[in-house]
Structure formats: C-alpha cells, structure tokens
Coordinates of all heavy atoms in Angstrom, one line a residue:
H218 N 9.8 -7.9 6.0 CA 9.3 -8.6 4.9 C 8.4 -7.6 4.1 O 7.7 -6.7 4.7 CB 8.3 -9.7 5.5 CG 7.6 -10.4 4.4 ND1 8.2 -11.2 3.5 CD2 6.3 -10.4 4.0 CE1 7.4 -11.8 2.7 NE2 6.2 -11.3 2.9
N219 N 8.6 -7.7 2.8 CA 7.9 -6.8 1.8 C 8.4 -5.4 1.9 O 7.5 -4.5 1.6 CB 6.3 -6.8 1.9 CG 5.8 -8.2 1.4 OD1 6.5 -8.9 0.7 ND2 4.6 -8.4 1.8
L220 N 9.5 -5.1 2.4 CA 10.0 -3.8 2.4 C 11.6 -3.9 1.8 O 12.3 -4.8 2.0 CB 10.4 -3.4 3.9 CG 10.9 -2.0 4.2 CD1 9.9 -1.0 3.7 CD2 11.2 -1.9 5.6
E221 N 11.7 -3.0 0.9 CA 13.0 -2.9 0.1 C 13.5 -1.6 0.1 O 12.9 -0.5 0.1 CB 12.7 -3.2 -1.4 CG 13.9 -3.2 -2.3 CD 13.5 -3.5 -3.7 OE1 12.5 -4.2 -4.0 OE2 14.3 -3.0 -4.6
M222 N 14.8 -1.5 0.5 CA 15.5 -0.1 0.6 C 16.4 0.0 -0.6 O 17.1 -0.8 -1.0 CB 16.4 -0.1 1.8 CG 17.1 1.1 2.0 SD 17.8 1.4 3.5 CE 18.8 2.9 3.2
K223 N 16.1 1.2 -1.2 CA 16.9 1.6 -2.2 C 17.7 3.0 -1.9 O 17.0 3.9 -1.6 CB 16.2 1.9 -3.6 CG 15.6 0.6 -4.1 CD 14.8 0.8 -5.4 CE 14.2 -0.5 -5.9 NZ 13.5 -0.2 -7.1
H224 N 19.1 3.0 -2.0 CA 19.7 4.3 -1.7 C 19.8 5.0 -3.1 O 20.4 4.5 -4.0 CB 21.1 3.9 -1.2 CG 21.9 5.1 -0.9 ND1 21.7 5.9 0.1 CD2 23.0 5.6 -1.6 CE1 22.5 7.0 0.1 NE2 23.4 6.7 -1.0
L225 N 19.4 6.3 -3.0 CA 19.4 7.1 -4.2 C 20.3 8.3 -3.8 O 19.9 9.2 -3.1 CB 18.0 7.7 -4.6 CG 17.0 6.5 -5.0 CD1 15.7 7.1 -5.2 CD2 17.5 5.7 -6.2
P226 N 21.5 8.4 -4.3 CA 22.5 9.4 -3.9 C 21.9 10.8 -4.2 O 21.3 11.0 -5.2 CB 23.7 9.2 -4.9 CG 23.5 7.7 -5.2 CD 22.1 7.4 -5.2
G227 N 22.0 11.6 -3.2 CA 21.4 13.0 -3.3 C 20.0 13.2 -3.1 O 19.5 14.3 -3.0
A228 N 19.2 12.1 -2.9 CA 17.8 12.3 -2.7 C 17.4 12.3 -1.2 O 18.2 11.6 -0.5 CB 17.0 11.1 -3.3
D229 N 16.4 13.0 -0.8 CA 16.1 12.9 0.6 C 15.4 11.6 0.8 O 14.6 11.2 0.0 CB 15.0 14.1 0.9 CG 15.6 15.4 0.9 OD1 16.9 15.5 1.2 OD2 15.0 16.4 0.6
P230 N 15.7 10.9 2.1 CA 15.1 9.7 2.3 C 13.6 9.7 2.5 O 13.1 10.7 3.2 CB 15.8 9.2 3.5 CG 16.3 10.4 4.3 CD 16.5 11.4 3.1
E231 N 12.8 8.9 1.9 CA 11.4 8.8 2.0 C 10.9 7.4 2.0 O 11.6 6.6 1.2 CB 10.6 9.6 1.1 CG 11.0 9.4 -0.3 CD 10.3 10.5 -1.3 OE1 9.6 11.4 -0.8 OE2 10.6 10.4 -2.4
L232 N 9.9 7.0 2.6 CA 9.2 5.8 2.6 C 8.2 5.8 1.4 O 7.3 6.6 1.6 CB 8.7 5.3 3.9 CG 7.9 3.9 4.0 CD1 8.9 2.8 3.5 CD2 7.3 3.8 5.3
V233 N 8.2 5.0 0.4 CA 7.2 5.1 -0.6 C 6.4 3.7 -0.6 O 7.0 2.7 -0.6 CB 7.9 5.1 -2.1 CG1 6.8 5.2 -3.1 CG2 8.8 6.4 -2.2
L234 N 5.1 3.9 -0.3 CA 4.2 2.7 -0.1 C 3.5 2.6 -1.5 O 3.0 3.4 -2.1 CB 3.1 3.1 1.0 CG 3.6 3.3 2.3 CD1 2.5 3.8 3.3 CD2 4.5 2.2 2.9
L235 N 3.6 1.3 -1.9 CA 3.0 0.9 -3.2 C 1.8 -0.1 -3.0 O 2.0 -0.9 -2.1 CB 4.1 0.2 -4.0 CG 5.4 1.1 -4.3 CD1 6.4 0.2 -5.0 CD2 5.0 2.3 -5.1
S236 N 1.0 -0.1 -3.9 CA -0.1 -1.1 -3.8 C 0.4 -2.4 -4.5 O 1.7 -2.5 -4.9 CB -1.3 -0.7 -4.7 OG -0.8 -0.6 -6.1
H237 N -0.4 -3.4 -4.3 CA 0.0 -4.8 -4.9 C 0.2 -4.7 -6.5 O 0.9 -5.5 -7.1 CB -1.0 -5.8 -4.6 CG -2.3 -5.6 -5.3 ND1 -3.3 -4.7 -4.8 CD2 -2.9 -6.2 -6.3 CE1 -4.3 -4.7 -5.7 NE2 -4.1 -5.6 -6.6
R238 N -0.3 -3.5 -7.1 CA -0.1 -3.4 -8.6 C 1.0 -2.4 -8.8 O 1.3 -1.8 -9.9 CB -1.3 -2.8 -9.1 CG -2.4 -3.8 -9.2 CD -3.7 -3.0 -9.8 NE -4.8 -4.0 -9.8 CZ -6.1 -3.6 -9.8 NH1 -6.4 -2.3 -9.9 NH2 -7.0 -4.5 -9.8
Y239 N 1.8 -2.0 -7.7 CA 3.0 -1.2 -7.8 C 2.6 0.2 -8.1 O 3.3 1.0 -8.6 CB 4.1 -1.7 -8.7 CG 4.7 -3.0 -8.3 CD1 4.2 -4.3 -8.8 CD2 5.6 -3.1 -7.2 CE1 4.7 -5.4 -8.4 CE2 6.1 -4.3 -6.9 CZ 5.6 -5.5 -7.5 OH 6.2 -6.8 -7.1
E240 N 1.4 0.7 -7.6 CA 0.9 2.1 -7.9 C 1.3 2.7 -6.6 O 1.1 2.2 -5.5 CB -0.6 2.0 -8.1 CG -0.9 1.4 -9.5 CD -2.4 1.0 -9.5 OE1 -3.1 0.9 -8.4 OE2 -2.9 1.0 -10.6
E241 N 1.8 3.9 -6.6 CA 2.2 4.7 -5.5 C 0.9 5.0 -4.7 O 0.0 5.6 -5.2 CB 3.0 5.9 -5.9 CG 3.4 6.8 -4.8 CD 4.4 7.9 -5.2 OE1 5.2 7.7 -6.0 OE2 4.1 8.9 -4.5
L242 N 1.0 4.7 -3.4 CA -0.2 5.1 -2.5 C 0.2 6.3 -1.7 O -0.7 7.2 -1.4 CB -0.5 3.9 -1.5 CG -0.8 2.6 -2.1 CD1 -1.0 1.5 -1.1 CD2 -2.2 2.8 -2.8
E243 N 1.5 6.3 -1.1 CA 1.8 7.5 -0.2 C 3.4 7.5 -0.1 O 4.1 6.6 -0.3 CB 1.3 7.1 1.2 CG 1.4 8.2 2.2 CD 0.7 7.7 3.5 OE1 0.2 6.6 3.6 OE2 0.8 8.5 4.4
R244 N 3.8 8.8 0.2 CA 5.2 9.1 0.4 C 5.4 9.7 1.8 O 4.6 10.6 2.0 CB 5.8 9.9 -0.6 CG 6.0 9.4 -2.0 CD 6.5 10.3 -3.0 NE 6.8 9.6 -4.3 CZ 8.0 9.2 -4.6 NH1 9.1 9.4 -4.0 NH2 8.1 8.5 -5.8
I245 N 6.3 9.1 2.5 CA 6.4 9.6 3.9 C 7.9 10.1 4.0 O 8.8 9.2 3.9 CB 6.1 8.5 5.0 CG1 4.6 8.0 4.7 CG2 6.4 9.1 6.4 CD1 4.3 6.7 5.5
P246 N 8.2 11.4 4.2 CA 9.6 11.8 4.4 C 10.1 11.3 5.7 O 9.5 11.2 6.8 CB 9.4 13.4 4.4 CG 8.0 13.7 4.5 CD 7.1 12.4 4.4
L247 N 11.5 10.8 5.6 CA 12.1 10.3 6.8 C 13.3 11.1 7.2 O 13.9 10.8 8.2 CB 12.6 8.9 6.3 CG 11.6 7.9 5.8 CD1 12.2 6.6 5.4 CD2 10.5 7.6 6.8
S248 N 13.5 12.2 6.6 CA 14.8 13.0 6.9 C 14.8 13.5 8.4 O 15.9 13.6 9.0 CB 14.7 14.3 6.1 OG 14.9 14.1 4.7
D249 N 13.7 13.8 9.0 CA 13.6 14.3 10.4 C 13.4 13.2 11.4 O 13.2 13.6 12.5 CB 12.6 15.5 10.5 CG 12.9 16.6 9.7 OD1 14.2 16.9 9.3 OD2 12.0 17.3 9.2
M250 N 13.4 12.0 11.1 CA 13.2 10.9 12.0 C 14.4 10.1 12.3 O 15.2 10.0 11.5 CB 12.1 9.9 11.3 CG 10.8 10.5 10.9 SD 9.7 9.4 10.0 CE 9.1 8.4 11.4
T251 N 14.4 9.7 13.5 CA 15.6 8.9 14.1 C 15.3 7.4 13.6 O 14.1 7.1 13.2 CB 15.6 8.9 15.6 OG1 14.5 8.2 16.1 CG2 15.8 10.3 16.1
R252 N 16.4 6.6 13.7 CA 16.1 5.3 13.3 C 15.1 4.5 14.1 O 14.3 3.7 13.6 CB 17.5 4.5 13.6 CG 17.5 3.0 13.2 CD 18.9 2.4 13.6 NE 18.9 1.1 13.1 CZ 19.8 0.7 12.2 NH1 20.6 1.6 11.6 NH2 19.8 -0.4 11.6
E253 N 15.1 4.9 15.5 CA 14.0 4.2 16.3 C 12.6 4.7 15.8 O 11.6 3.9 15.8 CB 14.2 4.7 17.8 CG 15.3 4.1 18.4 CD 16.7 4.7 18.0 OE1 16.7 6.0 17.6 OE2 17.7 4.1 18.1
E254 N 12.4 5.9 15.4 CA 11.2 6.4 14.9 C 10.7 5.7 13.6 O 9.6 5.4 13.4 CB 11.1 7.9 14.7 CG 11.2 8.7 16.0 CD 11.4 10.2 15.9 OE1 12.1 10.6 14.8 OE2 10.9 10.9 16.7
I255 N 11.7 5.5 12.7 CA 11.5 4.9 11.5 C 11.1 3.3 11.7 O 10.1 2.8 11.2 CB 12.6 5.0 10.4 CG1 12.9 6.4 10.1 CG2 12.4 4.0 9.3 CD1 14.2 6.7 9.4
N256 N 11.7 2.7 12.7 CA 11.4 1.3 13.1 C 10.0 1.3 13.6 O 9.1 0.3 13.2 CB 12.4 0.7 14.0 CG 13.7 0.5 13.3 OD1 13.8 0.2 12.1 ND2 14.8 0.4 14.2
Q257 N 9.5 2.2 14.4 CA 8.2 2.2 15.0 C 7.2 2.4 13.8 O 6.2 1.8 13.9 CB 8.2 3.3 16.0 CG 6.8 3.3 16.8 CD 6.8 4.4 17.8 OE1 7.7 5.0 18.2 NE2 5.6 4.7 18.4
L258 N 7.5 3.4 12.9 CA 6.6 3.7 11.9 C 6.3 2.5 11.1 O 5.2 2.1 10.7 CB 7.2 4.9 11.0 CG 6.4 5.1 9.7 CD1 5.0 5.6 9.9 CD2 7.2 6.0 8.8
V259 N 7.4 1.7 10.6 CA 7.3 0.6 9.8 C 6.5 -0.5 10.5 O 5.7 -1.1 9.9 CB 8.7 0.1 9.4 CG1 8.6 -1.3 8.8 CG2 9.4 1.1 8.5
Q260 N 6.8 -0.5 11.9 CA 5.9 -1.6 12.6 C 4.5 -1.2 12.7 O 3.5 -2.0 12.5 CB 6.5 -1.6 14.0 CG 5.9 -2.8 14.8 CD 6.6 -3.0 16.2 OE1 7.2 -2.1 16.7 NE2 6.5 -4.1 16.7
E261 N 4.2 0.1 12.8 CA 2.8 0.6 12.9 C 2.1 0.5 11.6 O 0.8 0.3 11.5 CB 2.8 2.1 13.3 CG 3.1 2.3 14.8 CD 3.3 3.8 15.2 OE1 3.2 4.6 14.3 OE2 3.6 4.0 16.3
L262 N 2.8 0.4 10.5 CA 2.2 0.3 9.2 C 2.0 -1.2 8.8 O 1.3 -1.4 7.9 CB 3.2 0.8 8.1 CG 3.4 2.4 8.1 CD1 4.4 2.8 7.2 CD2 2.0 3.0 7.7
G263 N 2.4 -2.1 9.8 CA 2.1 -3.4 9.7 C 3.1 -4.4 9.0 O 2.9 -5.5 8.6
F264 N 4.3 -3.9 8.7 CA 5.4 -4.7 8.2 C 5.7 -5.7 9.2 O 5.8 -5.4 10.4 CB 6.6 -3.9 7.7 CG 6.3 -3.0 6.5 CD1 5.8 -1.7 6.5 CD2 6.6 -3.5 5.2 CE1 5.6 -0.9 5.5 CE2 6.4 -2.7 4.1 CZ 5.9 -1.5 4.3
Y265 N 6.1 -6.9 8.6 CA 6.6 -8.0 9.6 C 8.1 -8.0 9.6 O 8.7 -8.0 8.6 CB 6.1 -9.3 9.0 CG 6.5 -10.5 9.9 CD1 5.9 -10.7 11.1 CD2 7.5 -11.3 9.5 CE1 6.3 -11.9 11.9 CE2 7.9 -12.4 10.2 CZ 7.4 -12.7 11.4 OH 7.8 -13.8 12.1
R266 N 8.6 -8.0 10.9 CA 10.1 -8.1 11.0 C 10.5 -9.5 11.3 O 10.1 -10.1 12.3 CB 10.5 -7.1 12.1 CG 12.0 -7.2 12.3 CD 12.4 -6.2 13.3 NE 13.9 -6.2 13.3 CZ 14.6 -5.1 13.4 NH1 14.0 -3.9 13.7 NH2 16.0 -5.1 13.4
K267 N 11.3 -10.1 10.4 CA 11.8 -11.5 10.5 C 12.9 -11.5 11.5 O 13.6 -10.5 11.7 CB 12.2 -12.0 9.1 CG 11.2 -12.0 8.1 CD 11.5 -12.9 6.9 CE 12.6 -12.1 6.0 NZ 12.9 -12.7 4.7
E268 N 13.0 -12.6 12.3 CA 14.0 -12.7 13.3 C 15.3 -12.9 12.6 O 16.4 -12.5 13.2 CB 13.7 -14.0 14.1 CG 12.3 -13.9 14.7 CD 12.3 -14.2 16.2 OE1 13.3 -14.5 16.7 OE2 11.2 -14.0 16.8
A269 N 15.4 -13.4 11.4 CA 16.7 -13.6 10.6 C 16.3 -13.5 9.2 O 15.2 -13.6 8.8 CB 17.2 -14.9 11.0
P270 N 17.3 -13.0 8.4 CA 17.0 -12.8 6.9 C 16.4 -14.0 6.2 O 15.6 -13.9 5.3 CB 18.3 -12.5 6.3 CG 19.1 -12.0 7.5 CD 18.7 -12.6 8.7
D271 N 16.8 -15.2 6.6 CA 16.2 -16.5 6.0 C 15.0 -17.1 6.8 O 14.5 -18.2 6.5 CB 17.3 -17.5 5.8 CG 18.0 -17.9 7.1 OD1 17.9 -17.2 8.1 OD2 18.7 -18.9 7.1
A272 N 14.5 -16.5 7.8 CA 13.5 -17.0 8.6 C 12.2 -17.0 7.7 O 12.0 -16.0 6.9 CB 13.3 -16.1 9.9
P273 N 11.3 -18.0 8.1 CA 10.0 -18.0 7.4 C 9.1 -16.9 7.9 O 9.2 -16.4 9.0 CB 9.4 -19.4 7.6 CG 10.1 -19.7 9.1 CD 11.4 -19.1 9.0
V274 N 8.2 -16.5 6.9 CA 7.2 -15.5 7.2 C 5.9 -16.2 7.4 O 5.5 -16.9 6.6 CB 7.1 -14.4 6.1 CG1 6.0 -13.4 6.4 CG2 8.4 -13.8 5.9
P275 N 5.2 -15.9 8.7 CA 3.9 -16.6 8.9 C 2.9 -16.2 7.7 O 2.9 -15.1 7.2 CB 3.4 -16.0 10.1 CG 4.7 -15.5 10.8 CD 5.6 -15.1 9.7
E276 N 2.1 -17.1 7.4 CA 1.1 -17.0 6.3 C 0.3 -15.8 6.4 O 0.1 -15.1 5.5 CB 0.2 -18.2 6.3 CG -0.8 -18.2 5.1 CD -1.6 -19.4 5.0 OE1 -1.2 -20.4 5.4 OE2 -2.6 -19.3 4.4
E277 N -0.1 -15.2 7.7 CA -0.9 -14.1 7.7 C -0.1 -12.8 7.5 O -0.8 -11.7 7.2 CB -1.6 -14.0 9.2 CG -0.6 -13.9 10.3 CD -0.1 -15.1 10.9 OE1 -0.1 -16.2 10.3 OE2 0.4 -15.0 12.0
F278 N 1.1 -12.9 7.2 CA 2.0 -11.7 6.9 C 2.5 -11.8 5.6 O 3.3 -11.0 5.1 CB 3.1 -11.5 7.9 CG 2.6 -11.2 9.3 CD1 2.5 -12.1 10.3 CD2 2.3 -9.8 9.5 CE1 2.1 -11.7 11.6 CE2 1.7 -9.5 10.8 CZ 1.8 -10.4 11.8
Q279 N 2.2 -12.8 4.8 CA 2.8 -13.0 3.4 C 2.5 -11.7 2.6 O 3.4 -11.3 1.8 CB 2.1 -14.3 2.8 CG 2.8 -15.6 3.3 CD 4.2 -15.7 3.0 OE1 4.7 -15.4 2.0 NE2 4.9 -16.3 4.0
F280 N 1.3 -11.1 2.6 CA 1.0 -10.1 1.8 C 1.0 -8.7 2.7 O 0.6 -7.7 2.2 CB -0.3 -10.2 0.9 CG -0.2 -11.4 0.1 CD1 -0.8 -12.6 0.5 CD2 0.6 -11.4 -1.0 CE1 -0.6 -13.8 -0.5 CE2 0.6 -12.5 -1.9 CZ 0.0 -13.6 -1.6
A281 N 1.3 -8.8 3.9 CA 1.3 -7.6 4.8 C 2.5 -6.7 4.3 O 3.5 -7.1 3.8 CB 1.6 -8.0 6.2
P282 N 2.2 -5.4 4.4 CA 1.1 -4.7 4.9 C 0.1 -4.3 4.0 O -0.5 -3.0 4.1 CB 1.8 -3.5 5.6 CG 3.0 -3.2 4.7 CD 3.4 -4.5 4.1
A283 N -0.1 -4.9 2.9 CA -1.1 -4.6 1.9 C -2.3 -4.2 2.5 O -2.9 -4.9 3.3 CB -1.2 -5.6 0.9
R284 N -2.8 -3.0 2.1 CA -4.2 -2.5 2.5 C -5.3 -3.3 1.7 O -5.1 -3.5 0.6 CB -4.2 -1.1 2.4 CG -3.2 -0.3 3.2 CD -3.3 1.2 3.0 NE -2.4 1.8 3.8 CZ -2.0 3.1 3.5 NH1 -2.4 3.7 2.7 NH2 -1.0 3.6 4.4
P285 N -6.3 -3.5 2.4 CA -7.4 -4.1 1.6 C -7.8 -3.2 0.5 O -7.8 -2.0 0.7 CB -8.6 -4.4 2.6 CG -8.1 -3.7 3.9 CD -6.7 -3.3 3.7
L286 N -8.4 -3.7 -0.6 CA -8.9 -2.8 -1.7 C -10.1 -2.2 -1.1 O -10.9 -2.6 -0.3 CB -9.3 -3.7 -2.9 CG -8.1 -4.3 -3.5 CD1 -8.6 -5.3 -4.7 CD2 -7.3 -3.4 -4.2
P287 N -10.3 -0.8 -1.5 CA -11.5 -0.1 -1.1 C -12.8 -0.8 -1.6 O -12.8 -1.3 -2.7 CB -11.4 1.2 -1.7 CG -10.4 1.1 -2.8 CD -9.5 -0.1 -2.5
T288 N -13.7 -0.8 -0.7 CA -15.1 -1.4 -1.1 C -15.9 -0.3 -1.8 O -16.0 0.9 -1.3 CB -15.8 -2.0 0.1 OG1 -16.0 -0.9 1.0 CG2 -15.1 -3.2 0.7
L289 N -16.5 -0.6 -2.8 CA -17.3 0.3 -3.6 C -18.8 0.0 -3.3 O -19.2 -1.1 -3.1 CB -17.1 0.2 -5.1 CG -15.7 0.4 -5.6 CD1 -15.5 0.2 -7.0 CD2 -15.3 1.9 -5.3
P290 N -19.6 1.2 -3.2 CA -21.0 0.9 -3.0 C -21.6 0.1 -4.1 O -21.1 0.3 -5.2 CB -21.6 2.3 -2.9 CG -20.6 3.2 -3.6 CD -19.3 2.5 -3.3
P291 N -22.6 -0.7 -3.9 CA -23.3 -1.6 -5.0 C -23.8 -0.5 -6.0 O -24.3 0.5 -5.7 CB -24.4 -2.4 -4.3 CG -24.5 -1.7 -3.0 CD -23.3 -0.9 -2.6
R292 N -23.8 -0.9 -7.3 CA -24.3 -0.2 -8.3 C -25.8 -0.2 -8.5 O -26.3 -1.3 -8.2 CB -23.8 -0.6 -9.7 CG -22.3 -0.3 -9.8 CD -22.0 -0.1 -11.3 NE -20.8 0.7 -11.4 CZ -20.3 1.2 -12.5 NH1 -20.9 0.9 -13.6 NH2 -19.3 1.8 -12.5
Q293 N -26.4 0.9 -8.8 CA -27.8 0.9 -9.0 C -28.2 0.4 -10.3 O -27.6 0.8 -11.3 CB -28.4 2.3 -8.8 CG -28.1 3.0 -7.4 CD -29.3 2.7 -6.5 OE1 -30.3 2.3 -6.9 NE2 -28.9 2.7 -5.3
A294 N -29.1 -0.5 -10.5 CA -29.6 -1.0 -11.9 C -30.3 0.1 -12.5 O -31.1 0.9 -11.8 CB -30.5 -2.2 -11.6
P295 N -30.1 0.3 -13.7 CA -30.8 1.3 -14.5 C -32.3 1.0 -14.6 O -32.8 -0.1 -14.5 CB -30.2 1.3 -15.9 CG -29.6 0.0 -16.1 CD -29.2 -0.4 -14.6
A296 N -33.1 2.1 -14.6 CA -34.5 2.0 -14.6 C -35.0 1.2 -15.9 O -34.2 1.4 -17.0 CB -35.2 3.3 -14.5
A297 N -35.9 0.5 -15.9 CA -36.3 -0.3 -17.0 C -36.7 0.5 -18.3 O -36.4 0.2 -19.4 CB -37.7 -1.2 -16.8
D298 N -37.1 1.9 -18.0 CA -37.5 2.6 -19.1 C -36.3 3.6 -19.5 O -36.5 4.5 -20.4 CB -38.7 3.5 -18.9 CG -38.5 4.4 -17.6 OD1 -37.6 4.2 -16.9 OD2 -39.4 5.2 -17.4
S299 N -35.2 3.5 -19.0 CA -34.0 4.2 -19.1 C -33.4 3.9 -20.5 O -33.1 2.7 -20.8 CB -33.0 4.0 -18.1 OG -31.9 4.9 -18.4
K300 N -33.2 5.0 -21.3 CA -32.5 4.7 -22.6 C -31.0 5.0 -22.7 O -30.4 4.8 -23.7 CB -33.3 5.5 -23.6 CG -34.7 5.3 -23.9 CD -35.2 5.6 -25.2 CE -36.7 5.4 -25.4 NZ -37.4 4.3 -25.1
T301 N -30.6 5.6 -21.6 CA -29.2 5.8 -21.5 C -28.4 4.6 -20.8 O -28.8 4.2 -19.8 CB -28.9 7.2 -20.8 OG1 -29.4 7.1 -19.5 CG2 -29.5 8.4 -21.5
P302 N -27.2 4.4 -21.4 CA -26.5 3.2 -20.7 C -25.9 3.8 -19.5 O -25.7 4.9 -19.2 CB -25.4 2.9 -21.7 CG -25.3 4.2 -22.6 CD -26.6 4.8 -22.5
P303 N -25.7 2.8 -18.6 CA -25.1 3.2 -17.2 C -23.8 3.7 -17.4 O -23.0 3.2 -18.1 CB -25.2 1.9 -16.4 CG -25.3 0.8 -17.3 CD -26.0 1.4 -18.5
G304 N -23.5 5.0 -16.8 CA -22.2 5.6 -16.9 C -21.4 5.3 -15.8 O -21.8 4.6 -14.8
H305 N -20.2 5.9 -15.7 CA -19.3 5.8 -14.5 C -19.4 7.1 -13.7 O -19.5 8.2 -14.2 CB -17.9 5.6 -15.0 CG -17.7 4.3 -15.7 ND1 -17.7 3.1 -15.2 CD2 -17.5 4.1 -17.1 CE1 -17.6 2.2 -16.1 NE2 -17.4 2.7 -17.4
D306 N -19.4 6.9 -12.5 CA -19.4 8.0 -11.6 C -18.0 8.8 -11.9 O -17.0 8.2 -12.1 CB -19.4 7.7 -10.0 CG -20.7 7.0 -9.7 OD1 -21.7 7.3 -10.3 OD2 -20.7 6.2 -8.7
E307 N -18.1 10.1 -11.6 CA -16.9 11.0 -11.9 C -15.8 10.4 -10.9 O -16.0 10.2 -9.6 CB -17.2 12.4 -11.6 CG -16.0 13.3 -11.9 CD -16.3 14.8 -11.8 OE1 -17.6 15.1 -12.0 OE2 -15.6 15.5 -11.5
G308 N -14.6 10.3 -11.3 CA -13.5 9.8 -10.4 C -13.4 8.2 -10.2 O -12.4 7.8 -9.7
E309 N -14.4 7.5 -10.8 CA -14.4 6.1 -10.6 C -13.6 5.6 -11.8 O -13.8 6.0 -12.9 CB -15.9 5.6 -10.7 CG -16.0 4.1 -10.5 CD -17.4 3.5 -10.5 OE1 -18.3 4.4 -10.9 OE2 -17.6 2.4 -10.2
H310 N -12.8 4.5 -11.5 CA -12.0 3.9 -12.5 C -13.0 3.0 -13.4 O -13.7 2.3 -12.9 CB -10.9 3.0 -11.9 CG -9.9 2.7 -13.0 ND1 -10.1 1.6 -13.8 CD2 -8.6 3.2 -13.2 CE1 -9.0 1.5 -14.5 NE2 -8.1 2.4 -14.2
P311 N -12.9 3.1 -14.8 CA -13.7 2.4 -15.6 C -13.6 0.8 -15.4 O -14.5 0.1 -15.8 CB -13.4 2.8 -17.1 CG -12.0 3.4 -16.9 CD -11.9 4.0 -15.5
D312 N -12.4 0.4 -14.9 CA -12.3 -1.1 -14.7 C -13.0 -1.6 -13.5 O -13.0 -2.9 -13.3 CB -10.9 -1.5 -14.7 CG -10.2 -1.3 -16.0 OD1 -10.9 -1.3 -17.1 OD2 -9.0 -1.2 -16.2
L313 N -13.4 -0.8 -12.6 CA -14.1 -1.2 -11.4 C -15.6 -1.5 -11.5 O -16.4 -0.9 -11.8 CB -13.8 -0.2 -10.3 CG -12.4 0.1 -9.9 CD1 -12.2 1.1 -8.9 CD2 -11.7 -1.2 -9.5

C-alpha cells in the first residue's frame, strides 16, 4: 500500500521516498540488494503489505508509512520594546 513501482529503462533501481506533498525525502539504492532484502527494507520502513491487490487497508495504515511532520520549537514572542519585526531562523521555511 502506498508504494508504486516505475521501471525506468537504463536507470539504476532505487527507492525514492516522498512526503505527503510529493517532496523527495530520501533515495535508497537497490542495485546491490536481493529481493528478500528489499522486501525487508520496505517492511521496516512501515509499508503495509496487502494480502491481495483488492484487499482493504486497515485505517491505521491508510497514510503509512508517512513520517510525522517535524515538530518545531515554540516561537519566542518579540520583546515589547523591540522595533524589529520577528524574522525567520536561517533554514526555516517562511510558511512554517
């Protein structure tokens, strides 16, 4: 469940993990792995294996193996006498 295989002729096989926004999180090369090792890896990553292609997926696995969003530390309120607007920490996304 939530795993799609795409065959790209001439490309080395790799597992590409995407966020719920389809942003790339990680690439794992699969060239040197056996089928059993790949199956174990996918299971360790939290993918749910259906008993049959049309079998239902339990609710707790509907969005698996999506990783929880990182928690950010609470923002400090600017001092009352501060004249500069609060900025963003370096590396922090402005939408967060």
